[in-house]
Amino acid sequence: MLKTGKEWLIKQRLFIEIGMLGCLILSIVGISFLFFKDANSVKEPSTMMSYLESENQSQSSIELNQIDQSSTSQTEKIYVDVKGAVYLPGVYEVTNDMRLIDAVNLAGGFSDKADQKPVNLSLKLTDQMVIFIPEIGEVGAEETVQETSAPSLEANIVTVTENTEEMTNSAKVNINLADAIQLQQLSGIGEKKAEQIVSYRQENGSFQTIEDLKNVSGIGEKTFEALKASVTVGND
């Protein structure tokens, strides 16, 4: 009888322990479920915020690219011809938002003989513009620089206005009056060819037509074609 009662107590105790263990397991499972549910609920808004931030960054990048493309499309490459009293005369590639001073700097800057007073350094550059920088004391030069149109050159000529009767066109060089230095302002004419032109004029008299330049040694058809629109004999 005592043995039976003892066995019953052991069984009851075992049932109680099993029940407590089951409750503990259920509690752990429940707590874990609540924890992961809360974690997911926090993670979802965080993911949404990251997505929105990514979208905003993408939109900003697109807008910046559009602005850059717009700025690039408004800036164009053009070419200008810098002549006269600069260290490196020649044709230079520039952009249409640059000024005359930029072109002069590309050409090595003003020479020691340059007369800067009549030059409008703020003038905006245009394609095919010819820029002529005068020398100090150059005959007929006023203290202003003007922009004129020369249809034969299809370009804008920036040059010092001439008042002398001999120079009827400020965009052209009179080959019957110009000295060797002035002749060197012409495309393709260096010091040697300029001296040859002066010598030819002294030996044969004035040029009757600009085509007579081809009679000068060293001036062929190609050189003549490059400078014919920039010269005159004074009777046109």
Side-chain angles (χ1 to χ4, degrees):
M1 185 70 178
L2 290 173
K3 185 177 180 180
T4 302
K6 187 175 182 180
E7 290 176 353
W8 183 82
L9 289 174
I10 292 173
K11 288 181 180 180
Q12 291 296 320
R13 184 177 178 181
L14 182 61
F15 288 150
I16 292 171
E17 290 177 352
I18 292 173
M20 292 177 65
L21 181 60
C23 291
L24 180 60
I25 292 172
L26 290 175
S27 298
I28 293 173
V29 172
I31 292 172
S32 299
F33 175 76
L34 292 175
F35 175 78
F36 285 113
K37 183 178 180 181
D38 291 340
N40 289 334
S41 64
V42 172
K43 185 177 180 180
E44 288 177 359
S46 176
T47 303
M48 181 61 70
M49 289 296 294
S50 299
Y51 173 76
L52 291 175
E53 289 177 357
S54 177
E55 284 294 310
N56 289 335
Q57 291 176 355
S58 298
Q59 185 65 27
S60 298
S61 299
I62 292 173
E63 291 176 354
L64 288 174
N65 288 335
Q66 290 176 344
I67 293 173
D68 291 340
Q69 291 175 358
S70 176
S71 299
T72 302
S73 62
Q74 293 175 0
T75 302
E76 299 177 356
K77 290 182 179 180
I78 59 175
Y79 294 87
V80 296
D81 188 3
V82 186
K83 301 176 181 293
V86 291
Y87 285 108
L88 299 171
V91 177
Y92 291 90
E93 179 185 290
V94 294
T95 55
N96 59 350
D97 60 346
M98 295 175 71
R99 304 287 174 169
L100 192 144
I101 182 61
D102 299 315
V104 172
N105 289 335
L106 287 173
F110 294 104
S111 70
D112 295 336
K113 298 180 180 180
D115 185 1
Q116 301 182 35
K117 291 181 180 180
V119 182
N120 180 5
L121 298 178
S122 66
L123 191 65
K124 197 168 185 179
L125 301 179
T126 58
D127 194 27
Q128 301 183 47
M129 177 181 283
V130 179
I131 302 169
F132 170 63
I133 305 300
E135 292 185 358
I136 296 174
E138 192 165 9
V139 177
E142 293 182 348
E143 293 187 356
T144 58
V145 172
Q146 67 177 11
E147 185 176 11
T148 60
S149 177
S152 59
L153 289 174
E154 296 181 355
N156 290 324
I157 307 297
V158 179
T159 183
V160 176
T161 304
E162 300 291 345
N163 286 333
T164 58
E165 295 180 358
E166 295 86 358
M167 295 293 184
T168 58
N169 190 335
S170 62
K172 296 184 178 182
V173 174
N174 190 326
I175 56 177
N176 284 326
L177 298 172
D179 58 21
I181 294 177
Q182 292 171 325
L183 289 170
Q184 290 178 52
Q185 298 165 9
L186 297 170
S187 177
I189 301 299
E191 182 178 356
K192 184 177 180 180
K193 287 183 180 179
E195 291 175 353
Q196 289 174 334
I197 292 173
V198 174
S199 297
Y200 179 90
R201 191 174 64 201
Q202 292 172 346
E203 294 172 3
N204 300 279
S206 299
F207 293 96
Q208 299 303 308
T209 65
I210 61 174
E211 283 76 14
D212 290 342
L213 274 174
K214 290 186 285 186
N215 297 327
V216 178
S217 176
I219 299 181
E221 189 67 30
K222 186 176 180 180
T223 302
F224 175 76
E225 288 296 323
L227 60 81
K228 69 178 183 179
S230 303
V231 297
T232 179
V233 294
N235 56 7
D236 51 350

